[in-house]
Amino acid sequence: MKKVVFLFVLFLFSKNLKAQSIPLGSIDFKDERLRNEQLLGKNKSENSFTIRPLLIENDSIKSNKIQLSYLPITLNQQYNTLAPFGRNDGAMIPAKGYQMKLNAGFTVKYNHFNFRFNPEYVFAENLAFELFPTYVVSRVRLGYLNYLNNYDIPERLGVSAYKKIFWGQSALNYSIGKVNFGMSNENLWWGPGKYNSLIMSNNAPGFVHFTFNSVKPVQTPIGSFEWQLISGKLVESGLDIPIENYIVNGTNYKNTKSKEWRYLSGLTINYQPKWIPGLYLGMNRIFQIYNNELGKSFTDYFPVITPFQKKNLKNEDAKQRDQIVSLFLRWVFKESNSEIYFENGWNDHKEDLWDLFQDPSHARALTFGLAKIFKNNASSDSYLKFNFEHTQLQQSADRIARPAGAWYMHGYVRHGYTQMSQVIGAGIGPGSNSQTLDFSLWKKNEVWGIQCERFSHNLDFAYDVYTDYSIGEYNRKWVELLFSAYGYKNFGKFTVNGKIGTSINRHYQWQIPNNKNNYQLQVALQYHL
């Protein structure tokens, strides 16, 4: 056994690989293009595309010379006419009006080290918009305050223009063989989803974290493995809703949150069985705890390696930490140029296996998706792509007998699963559902597409407070229909990416009658030095 372990470790470190990271949200669609090429059989990599940012490796002899290169200058801009809208855009915030994110930087490589300095500056007009009304009946207002008191998701991020500098996609990595050790602030994405990830996405600003991860799939006699183990620091927004918004019938219902930062421990593992080509099976697991509650043992710092059944954990509730876990699969069918994927998550520990088998829908959320490519020519350099994805964060019918609370909400960590006021997981937010259709045309240096989405805002809240069937309260669902067109084109060193869309809001802020339209324009420009 010791010999097997020694040979495996030797294999991991046996070859020097220089890896280049493709940051999330890249306006040239580079990571998605590589995923498409895998479906087309053009990309021979067995990468699962469930752990991002992608590391593109090049086998080469290590260099003892310092190599300096400049990163492209990128300007992302958007404008919302009615209300905040924006997901999976990193440090940008949900805001009305004009907003921009500017980033640039450089990389320095030496031997096994790679340092990337890529800060981001965000400016948003952050104009006032229509908020959830304070004049609604007390039971409704109290139900809404339950969410404000148990998440760090302010309705509006301050009352003036928003300006902030972030570390952005900066990172320091040491890569040797097939593994990487590093310290980073870059956004991460875990799982197979394209529009939503239950556990980890680029919906919020990146957070400082240490990482130990695979650079490329590690081959073994039973198949290949990919992984990432992180320890990070989550911080609050520092912004809050005015105190008068917590007053109901003269009583202040504000529940003050801790100002302590939160420690996060996370693990994602992906396995590709050698007997089933194209099948990828994986698990994501996250714990968070306030820093002043963190213990000093090894399992306190790395709870992701502890048993899944709560009955096998000693005094787990007393540790006052919260868990989210998901299982996922992605299955690629190169013969038909298609894929399906699925992620099923739970917002809490299961007591034991019988708890899971008897009540699998308790505290559950899911994402399901599929993609199909239609070739336009034999060379596959022009093709049409169809995407569909369904995400459900709304509680299942099990809530009638066993309420679980909204997703990303926990009893101990009352900031919810957030970083600087935004959800780290699925950008649609707690209690929400979405269905997305996407049709796109891909060519060598350009992409054109149309997208349709149905977005149901926080149905858990709607069912919590609007319960009087006799007066039609069941109809108070805030549903948004979004239609957009987008395009990308490269002109040598200059790249342009744009998107224009409209959303039709029925019963905006769950109020009747209150139907409104929002229009959004996004323009991104990039110049390679």
Side-chain angles (χ1 to χ4, degrees), residues 77-81 85 448-452 482-487 497-503 518-524:
Q77 305 168 94
Q78 72 176 24
Y79 189 88
N80 284 304
T81 61
F85 181 78
W448 306 96
I450 56 174
Q451 191 177 106
C452 308
L482 302 99
F483 305 92
S484 58
Y486 61 89
N497 184 319
K499 186 174 184 179
I500 186 170
T502 182
S503 62
N518 180 58
Y519 300 94
Q520 185 185 70
L521 175 65
Q522 295 177 317
V523 178

Side-chain angles (χ1 to χ4, degrees), residues 371-436:
K372 165 69 176 174
I373 290 178
F374 303 90
K375 299 179 184 178
N376 289 337
N377 54 40
S379 66
S380 303
D381 58 3
S382 176
Y383 52 87
L384 296 169
K385 185 179 182 184
F386 163 76
N387 273 100
F388 169 76
E389 185 171 295
H390 166 76
T391 299
Q392 179 177 323
L393 299 187
Q394 174 195 359
Q395 292 185 67
S396 68
D398 176 74
R399 65 174 287 157
I400 299 173
R402 189 184 178 190
W407 246 69
Y408 308 124
M409 180 190 290
H410 290 283
Y412 298 128
V413 180
R414 291 185 42 259
H415 285 77
Y417 185 51
T418 62
Q419 160 72 353
M420 296 192 70
S421 81
Q422 298 190 66
V423 171
I424 304 171
I428 59 176
S432 301
N433 299 337
S434 72
Q435 298 81 37
T436 306

Side-chain angles (χ1 to χ4, degrees), residues 154-202:
E155 295 175 285
R156 182 183 175 199
L157 274 70
V159 295
S160 59
Y162 181 92
K163 305 173 185 177
K164 198 167 186 65
I165 297 176
F166 299 84
W167 284 105
Q169 308 309 304
S170 300
L172 173 62
N173 291 302
Y174 180 85
S175 300
I176 181 170
K178 298 182 187 319
V179 299
N180 175 75
F181 304 86
M183 180 178 180
S184 170
N185 193 78
E186 61 191 345
N187 286 111
L188 307 175
W189 188 291
W190 291 355
K194 178 180 177 182
Y195 308 103
N196 286 293
S197 172
L198 299 182
I199 303 293
M200 188 73 70
S201 76
N202 63 332

